[in-house]
Amino acid sequence: MDENIKYELAEAEKLEVIDNAGVAENEKKSIVTVLLSLSCCGHIMLENICIRILILDISEKKSNHELYGFTVHEEYNFYIKHFWKNESYKCDLAIRYAEGSRLQKLKEKYFVILQNEINEKINIDKDMISKKFHENMNEFQMLNKDQGDIHKNGRSVSKIEFDNGSILYYKPHSLDKDIKYQQLYKYLCEKAGISCREVRCLSRQTYGWEENIENKSCNTKEEIERYYFRLGIHLFLGYALGATDLHGENIVAYGEHPVIIDMETYPGYITKNSGSSTEEKAEIKIREKIMTSVLNTGILPVLTWGTGNNRVLMSAVNMHGKIRTPFKMPVVKDDKTSNIHIEYEQVEFEIKECIVRLNGEVVNSEEYTGEIIRGFRMAYTEILQNQKLRNMLKTFFQGKSRVILRHTQQYYMYLFASFHPDYMKDRKQREELLQVLHKKGETQLQKELRDYEIQSLLELDIPYFEIDGNSRSIFD
């Protein structure tokens, strides 16, 4: 097996080790979510399915002295013109790398299907969208092909821009839970005597439309105080509903309003593990304490990795500044030259939408801890005293919600490893490589889940699981 493949599989396995190392769910999911926004990961991997074939082919052509030019850039341009854009040569490559060709066509097919789906839904909902969002529906365009993870035959969240410059998000799932949550949150805000910024959305049975919310600065200290009071209300609701992903990428600081933009995993769930040694049992007990506390929501700072001055606290507060990943990711180097290759390095990222500002200056959230506590206490007390609110909470457990059984980033790492030229000649070869998802001693249920994961990855889908709020049964 190629050394790069071994390395990538090992990096993917590191994420699995974290799963079993007593790290709280919100910490793991925070790591995953922010990594997906990096240029070297996630959707970029899917956008460049054949990048490794191109890199290998350029390297072979250069070794055989088939590239001409005075510089590495000229050699690269020669390759693109005389080989990569040569239809006859591309046909030969497609035959040699039949699986790579299939995946490229599949990706293009998914995009066309998604585009047609969105066109159809816009035509169906044209009047309702115009009324709800006040948009001119004459012209629009999809801003990007893969705004969200790809599930269920290429379906994903997509960003739509209309001719007047406004933006909507198309989400391939119902937004009923989002509406329920906003009703609950609004009720508590009214009880507290403060306003509520509702996210405008249109929910249909299998999909929905949602407005675009962007970061906005506060103008007064009183607005900052109200922001953190409202965040305290969100903290309680997240705690009550078992939320695990209210991290910096799922909360937007819109002036004095913290706005949650993703509720697909509501209500949350808690995994149960058993340990053999005293140390393992103690570790598991500590983990379960965290998972049943407010720390599990993702809102409050929790040590995610590192120590001392290098420590990183992932949360929806105090996320100002750049953060360096603890994992090395595949990155294309010397792009557009005949020396193009892949290296593995840590990458910096920055979460901006959740940052609270006062007249453009970043606010220190530690100064407003008391406001968060007040908001949390108010919501908690109100729920205890109000049967109507308790009934509203119960409705979240009716129906299904998404459940994350494995790191999304781990799936992307396995996918990228399977894009190596050695495994792009035949589907069976890719399938054999992906068998690494199976583990020795797995149960029959685990085997069935892993088989489903492998079949999904073979079709470029990120595996998608749901759990029934009442029975807690898993569905794919």
Side-chain angles (χ1 to χ4, degrees), residues 45-66:
M45 292 182 184
L46 293 185
E47 289 173 9
N48 295 285
I49 291 173
C50 295
I51 186 67
R52 304 185 85 151
I53 294 175
L54 179 142
I55 290 173
L56 176 63
D57 204 43
I58 288 178
S59 177
E60 290 177 347
K61 291 287 184 289
K62 185 166 185 171
S63 297
N64 295 332
H65 307 289
E66 296 180 57

Side-chain angles (χ1 to χ4, degrees), residues 132-295:
K132 172 70 74 171
F133 302 103
H134 312 295
E135 301 299 352
N136 183 342
M137 305 299 295
N138 293 329
E139 294 182 21
F140 69 92
Q141 62 174 324
M142 291 177 64
L143 292 185
N144 51 339
K145 298 180 182 180
D146 305 311
Q147 179 63 28
D149 300 328
I150 295 176
H151 305 292
K152 300 181 178 180
N153 299 318
R155 303 187 82 207
S156 70
V157 173
S158 296
K159 197 173 183 179
I160 314 295
E161 182 175 21
F162 295 91
D163 53 359
N164 62 359
S166 61
I167 293 172
L168 285 184
Y169 284 93
Y170 171 78
K171 296 194 173 183
H173 56 79
S174 169
L175 299 180
D176 287 352
K177 281 189 293 186
D178 300 61
I179 293 172
K180 286 181 183 178
Y181 184 89
Q182 290 194 84
Q183 290 170 345
L184 184 57
Y185 173 66
K186 182 181 180 181
Y187 190 99
L188 286 168
C189 285
E190 289 175 348
K191 285 289 183 180
I194 56 177
S195 62
C196 168
R197 172 58 166 91
E198 295 182 76
V199 180
R200 288 181 297 164
C201 60
L202 176 61
S203 181
R204 309 292 274 164
Q205 189 172 356
T206 59
Y207 65 95
W209 306 94
E210 187 174 284
E211 71 169 314
N212 180 48
I213 302 288
E214 297 181 350
N215 184 275
K216 180 181 175 183
S217 181
C218 290
N219 298 315
T220 66
K221 185 177 180 181
E222 289 72 27
E223 288 183 357
I224 299 292
E225 291 172 348
R226 289 194 293 270
Y227 176 93
Y228 285 106
F229 182 88
R230 292 184 178 96
L231 191 63
I233 296 176
H234 283 307
L235 179 63
F236 170 74
L237 291 176
Y239 168 66
L241 293 169
T244 59
D245 60 351
L246 296 179
H247 45 70
E249 286 214 332
N250 282 339
I251 294 183
V252 177
Y254 182 79
E256 63 178 273
H257 300 279
V259 180
I260 298 177
I261 57 174
D262 185 3
M263 298 178 190
E264 196 178 3
T265 58
Y266 276 58
Y269 69 100
I270 296 175
T271 56
K272 292 289 184 179
N273 294 294
S274 59
S276 55
S277 67
T278 303
E279 290 80 4
E280 286 175 339
K281 289 178 179 178
E283 185 75 22
I284 290 167
K285 194 169 184 179
I286 292 170
R287 180 187 179 191
E288 290 181 350
K289 284 286 186 184
I290 293 175
M291 290 178 67
T292 54
S293 78
V294 292
L295 293 177

Side-chain angles (χ1 to χ4, degrees), residues 35-36 38 40-47 409 412:
L35 284 177
L36 290 181
L38 300 176
C40 64
C41 316
H43 312 307
I44 300 302
M45 292 182 184
L46 293 185
E47 289 173 9
Q409 181 58 30
Y412 279 119

Side-chain angles (χ1 to χ4, degrees), residues 352-386:
K352 299 179 179 179
E353 293 304 304
C354 67
I355 296 175
V356 183
R357 293 181 173 85
L358 176 58
N359 296 319
E361 297 295 321
V362 176
V363 170
N364 181 5
S365 62
E366 293 179 10
E367 297 176 7
Y368 298 90
T369 303
E371 299 305 316
I372 296 176
I373 293 173
R374 284 202 317 111
F376 182 92
R377 182 182 292 128
M378 185 283 297
Y380 204 152
T381 303
E382 195 63 40
I383 290 286
L384 290 176
Q385 297 174 351
N386 193 319

Side-chain angles (χ1 to χ4, degrees), residues 24-37:
E25 288 296 311
N26 66 291
E27 299 174 48
K28 296 186 290 181
K29 290 174 184 176
S30 295
I31 297 171
V32 172
T33 303
V34 294
L35 284 177
L36 290 181
S37 65

Side-chain angles (χ1 to χ4, degrees), residues 378-396:
M378 185 283 297
Y380 204 152
T381 303
E382 195 63 40
I383 290 286
L384 290 176
Q385 297 174 351
N386 193 319
Q387 182 62 47
K388 179 181 178 180
L389 285 172
R390 292 199 295 275
N391 290 337
M392 291 173 74
L393 276 174
K394 288 178 183 178
T395 62
F396 281 87

